[in-house]
Amino acid sequence: MKCLFQPDQKRVYRQTLSKIVIFIVLFFLGGIVTKYIGRQEMRPRIKSANVTEIEEGTLFGENGEITFEGKNFQDIVAVYLNDEWQKDVQAYCDTTESMRIEIPAKFWEKSGEFSVRVERKINAEESIMSNKWTFDVKPIDEEETPIITKIVPEVIECTGEPNKILTIYGKNIQDGDFILAEGVEKEYYVNEDGSCSFLIDFSEYWDKDTLNLCVAKGFHGYPTKNVSKYFLVDIKKRKKPELEYNWLQGNAFIRSSKEIEGNLYTEDLLKLLEQSYNEGYRVFEMNLDFTSDCVLICSVYNNEDPTNVNRGFEEYEIHNLDKSLAQLKEKSFHNTEDFWEICSFLKKNKNAYIIVNVDDKDVNFLYEVFSYITNDTSHIDESILKRLIVQVYNRKMYEQIMQIYPFKSVIYNLKETSDTNEEIISFIQEEGIQAVAISSSQVEDQLLLNSLNDSGCKIYFDSTNSQEYAEFLANKGIYGFYTTAFEKSKEMEERINKKRENYIFLRKNGIDINEMVKTDETYDEKVKQNYLTFLSYLDDLKSKRYVICISVKDEAFPLLTDEVRNKLSTLGLDGTAINDYKMSYGAVIDEGRVQKEIVSKESIELDYETEQGVGIHVGSAHFEKGNYSSIVIDGVEYSKNSRGLNIVVYDKMKRNVVDSICFDTYANYIVLN
């Protein structure tokens, strides 16, 4: 057979075929290499970390957070620690070149090492892993553990100072370690002898009996768990002051220094005091502040810093600087006086008192003010200090001032408190405080007002110029008022006293009435008479000839006083049965004995038949379960079906119903008959 190709042609063919194969192979290899190189360019790469070394237990950053620098930190979908995916660990990428990762404590609490890798999502099907970054966790060198041998002073004396200096002596304590007071890091300086001194703020120890201190070894700027033994510093508390409240008797009205309803004093402050004193006022509220020339002043102002008011000082180039006493006294709109002049007024008028008020609650400022008052005894004697009533706004303020000097009287102003009612009552009882001031935000809290009155504390309202409103407040248990406009008169005091006496009468009998103001001038007397009628009526029911049927409608609990409950008990009833709101109640008494008595949160129905064959049905439902009262005798409804205790009396001798009545024991003992 003849060959189609010559030898040279065969060689050329083979060479061409080889080139084609090589080209195809190189083409595919090129694609693979290009794809690989492209993927490598997209791969996240960790180049450095802000933490270079770790000692076991070192809390680096915030919550064990490490910051990594590198590239391609975007679309990170997973974090791997020690090559295991951590589903609860997330990478926070601030930029494509920086990311933060919170490392769980289990990876750095013990010595060893851990590695970090992250995974980036490239597309819907593909992702790529970063390089691995490894950290070495070094064991604690116990020989370098800090040791506290002494702290000076050994006892913190409570003197009201804004801060105290403490010095730690010990071993293995050096610059870069961490001093912790009650777990809070303190800034300190190292003394020449190697001891370390730092400040403790008043707020850190005023309410403690001991202060807990320790030193933590530092490692590259972070505290470690290589910590000294805890050292306790005792805190010497002040002696509990014996408070006196002679000024309370007969002083229901306090001449306030605040602007109330547009009433702002414009006359000379000393003249105002003398005028108010002649009107019968004996207690005066004064605001304390310092002038630019460091004079302590009393002032009357419109809720502004009297030393720093721009209004009226346009001629001064710099308006935001405190003013001197001379500058302030030049301006008639601002009433200010040297504190020592006010003390002269007290020295002259032996039965006058000043409530000293400081609006700035900063511990440094309070210390300056009250140290100024009590340290310079050449201006003020002990008898005058006894007539300074300190107005405090919280426990911390009270503690600081009483540590500076044990003032004899305190009024606790509640307008800024965040304490609960229970905490307020506990505080005043512990310290023997007998006067509090409230604002409009506490007026509607009748439970608080009742609790304060029950504790024996006098309540003042801060502030009002309305006599009508004062009478309303007195009827809620308020004892006195801060005011700028009351012209004291015997008639006004008698009206307010009458309202207050009404509250005391009602409260004494356990009555809690929220709406006390009525247009009827004789309302107070009617409430008392209704109450006394009710008590007398219960006494009259004590007879074996009566069958007594009782049913509650709506609500009966609030005004069931101890006296009323005792009366019910003498009838054989359970006087404590109705012990909460929203309770239905029914009872039948016959032959001087309780035959039926039911109390429930649900509606109730009960039936009874007398020995004479008289059929009785009693039904009761509080407001949420039907709101009705029913007392049916021999098929006839006799209940008044009104709010409170509905009572029907059947006379077995007369063989008929002799009375049907209702006493409203929810609000005011109104009698329906």
Side-chain angles (χ1 to χ4, degrees), residues 556-583:
F557 170 69
L559 304 191
L560 290 181
T561 68
D562 290 341
E563 194 170 9
V564 170
R565 293 182 184 279
N566 288 335
K567 296 286 187 183
L568 293 172
S569 296
T570 61
L571 294 174
L573 298 167
D574 182 356
T576 63
I578 305 176
N579 57 17
D580 199 357
Y581 287 93
K582 300 177 183 176
M583 301 191 79

Side-chain angles (χ1 to χ4, degrees), residues 534 537-539 541-542 546-557 560 564-565 567-575 577-578 583-590 593-600 604-608 616-621 628-633 637-650 657 659-665:
F534 183 33
Y537 187 85
L538 293 176
D539 284 334
L541 295 177
K542 297 174 184 177
Y546 295 145
V547 179
I548 304 158
C549 306
I550 303 174
S551 169
V552 165
K553 176 186 176 180
D554 190 356
E555 188 60 69
F557 170 69
L560 290 181
V564 170
R565 293 182 184 279
K567 296 286 187 183
L568 293 172
S569 296
T570 61
L571 294 174
L573 298 167
D574 182 356
I578 305 176
M583 301 191 79
S584 306
Y585 176 85
V588 176
I589 302 171
D590 188 11
R593 298 189 304 273
V594 177
Q595 305 296 334
K596 298 272 188 175
E597 184 177 21
I598 302 176
V599 62
S600 174
I604 62 174
E605 309 289 336
L606 65 87
D607 293 291
Y608 174 72
I616 297 174
H617 174 81
V618 176
S620 169
Y628 66 86
S629 165
S630 176
I631 301 175
V632 178
I633 299 179
E637 178 68 69
Y638 287 100
S639 173
K640 291 294 182 182
N641 193 26
S642 187
R643 183 176 66 186
L645 287 176
N646 293 264
I647 302 174
V648 173
V649 181
Y650 178 84
V657 171
D659 199 12
S660 176
I661 194 168
C662 179
F663 294 94
D664 186 354
T665 54

Side-chain angles (χ1 to χ4, degrees), residues 59 74 97 124 137 198 250 307 311 325 337 398 479 556 663:
L59 181 60
Q74 69 251 38
E97 298 178 346
V137 182
F198 58 97
T307 67
R311 181 165 51 104
L325 178 62
E337 193 57 73
Y398 170 81
Y479 174 79
F663 294 94

Side-chain angles (χ1 to χ4, degrees), residues 2 56 75 158 290 323 367 388 529 532 606 630 649 663:
K2 189 176 180 179
E56 62 176 302
D75 303 320
C158 291
F290 280 110
K323 309 302 182 290
Y367 186 74
L388 296 182
Q529 189 58 49
L532 296 174
L606 65 87
S630 176
V649 181
F663 294 94

Side-chain angles (χ1 to χ4, degrees), residues 486-500:
F486 275 164
E487 293 182 5
K488 290 187 66 175
S489 68
K490 186 176 181 180
E491 179 185 0
M492 180 191 70
E493 291 189 62
E494 286 179 352
R495 285 178 59 84
I496 291 178
N497 287 337
K498 181 181 177 182
K499 299 290 184 181
R500 189 186 305 114

